[in-house]
Amino acid sequence: MAPQDAVLGWDEDTTAEAYAAFTRDFPMYSATSRDLARRAHLADSRLVVDLCGGAGATAEAILELAPAQARVISLDNAAAMQRVGRRTLTDPRLTWVTARAEDLADHIPGPADAVVCNSAIWKTDVEAVAAAVGRVLRPGGRFVFNIGGGFAGVRHSDEQAARIAPSLHTLIRQVAAREHGYAPPPAAYTLPKLPLEEVTEHLASAGMTVLDIEVVAQHSTMAEKKAWLSIPIFARPDGDFSHEQRMDILTKAYALTTPDTATVTTWLVVTAQRPREQR
């Protein structure tokens, strides 16, 4: 089952507009999208799926690497995100489909050369998604996706080395505790939500072979982290706070940092493939 809180809030205009603005103003999503698209080996592709494609940042990276004859389908269940994407990404090779990731196989007209999913597989029923991807990929087709290090329970050495000063998340919790009596959730909630072992089991059950697993580091700044946490769906802390309260807490926490301080985020990148047919 998909996490209950993972599907809430995405189909809202305020989230969609803020998310799209972030992808234009900061490099995180464009950089991770280009990385995944490169790993998908798109040079000879004819049909590529951008799964949980949101406002189209990953579709744009796919279109840059795919050949002229390729078609790209960006599938997402949040119509608000796609409305924003349609305004800015008008390439005739791109088709927008509003549907759940788990229902992928019901909306793809033919075998896909690759399925790419950036930063979003954690909010799906991964077992059902893997099964659907396994059905739509052609033999030899690739499924490339990433998982945030916190969700996967991994950490890049660069992130470990960067943990000298308190993170913005830590400062947010401290401000919330001081001014609102906030208490963080029990430690059990910090356990990995999507460990690699679970992911590989789902891929194997869907008939796919894991080609590569890499823990990578995404480098950014405290200013970029603040902008990301300003998106309503990502705003912290959890609990009974209004968005205005969260933004006030964020502003006060950010004031305790230096904007150009380097920050590092860990990603677990997985490349899987449907086996080629045996002759």
Side-chain angles (χ1 to χ4, degrees):
M1 295 288 292
Q4 173 139 10
D5 61 350
V7 295
L8 301 176
W10 287 97
D11 199 16
E12 295 181 1
D13 291 335
T14 52
T15 288
E17 295 289 351
Y19 182 93
F22 178 87
T23 63
R24 292 192 302 268
D25 296 339
F26 295 94
M28 185 181 81
Y29 283 108
S30 59
T32 51
S33 294
R34 287 193 299 270
D35 177 58
L36 296 180
R38 176 183 59 79
R39 295 170 188 261
H41 288 189
L42 303 178
D44 298 318
S45 60
R46 293 186 175 274
L47 177 62
V48 183
V49 178
D50 172 23
L51 191 63
C52 303
T58 303
E60 186 172 10
I62 291 170
L63 288 164
E64 290 175 358
L65 290 180
Q69 74 274 13
R71 297 165 53 217
V72 178
I73 295 176
S74 185
L75 185 145
D76 197 284
N77 67 343
M81 298 287 281
Q82 293 190 329
R83 283 196 297 270
V84 173
R86 284 190 175 98
R87 293 203 310 259
T88 56
L89 196 55
T90 58
D91 193 304
R93 295 177 293 164
L94 176 62
T95 301
W96 301 85
V97 173
T98 306
R100 300 187 321 141
E102 295 84 354
D103 298 329
L104 167 68
D106 297 332
H107 299 276
I108 301 303
D113 298 285
V115 176
V116 179
C117 183
N118 188 4
S119 312
I121 198 165
W122 66 271
K123 64 188 182 76
T124 71
D125 180 334
V126 179
E127 182 176 13
V129 167
V133 172
R135 289 197 294 273
V136 305
L137 280 178
R138 65 164 174 79
R142 291 191 168 199
F143 181 27
V144 186
F145 59 93
N146 55 15
I147 307 168
F151 285 100
V154 298
R155 182 177 293 178
H156 192 277
S157 58
D158 284 2
E159 183 181 359
Q160 293 174 317
R163 291 295 179 92
I164 300 173
S167 69
L168 191 52
H169 282 283
T170 296
L171 293 171
I172 286 171
R173 289 193 293 268
Q174 290 175 355
V175 172
R178 184 180 69 240
E179 299 195 0
H180 300 276
Y182 171 74
Y189 288 103
T190 66
L191 294 174
K193 297 180 180 179
L194 192 56
L196 177 60
E197 295 79 5
E198 179 181 329
V199 173
T200 55
E201 287 177 6
H202 294 327
L203 293 171
S205 296
M208 285 181 277
T209 301
V210 175
L211 299 180
D212 185 64
I213 298 168
E214 185 177 359
V215 178
V216 303
Q218 176 70 25
H219 296 82
S220 60
T221 64
M222 198 66 73
E224 182 174 4
K225 184 68 70 174
K226 177 181 182 290
W228 187 77
L229 289 169
S230 298
I231 300 171
I233 198 73
F234 298 135
R236 296 292 182 268
D238 294 325
D240 190 19
F241 293 93
S242 68
H243 185 64
E244 290 72 20
Q245 287 175 318
R246 290 190 175 98
M247 292 302 95
D248 178 66
I249 292 168
L250 174 61
T251 298
K252 291 174 179 175
Y254 182 65
L256 302 174
T257 73
T258 303
D260 58 357
T261 296
T263 64
V264 182
T265 304
T266 297
W267 294 92
L268 179 68
V269 184
V270 180
T271 303
Q273 184 179 53
R274 181 180 170 188
R276 300 180 186 276
E277 293 178 336
Q278 300 294 322
R279 295 188 176 183

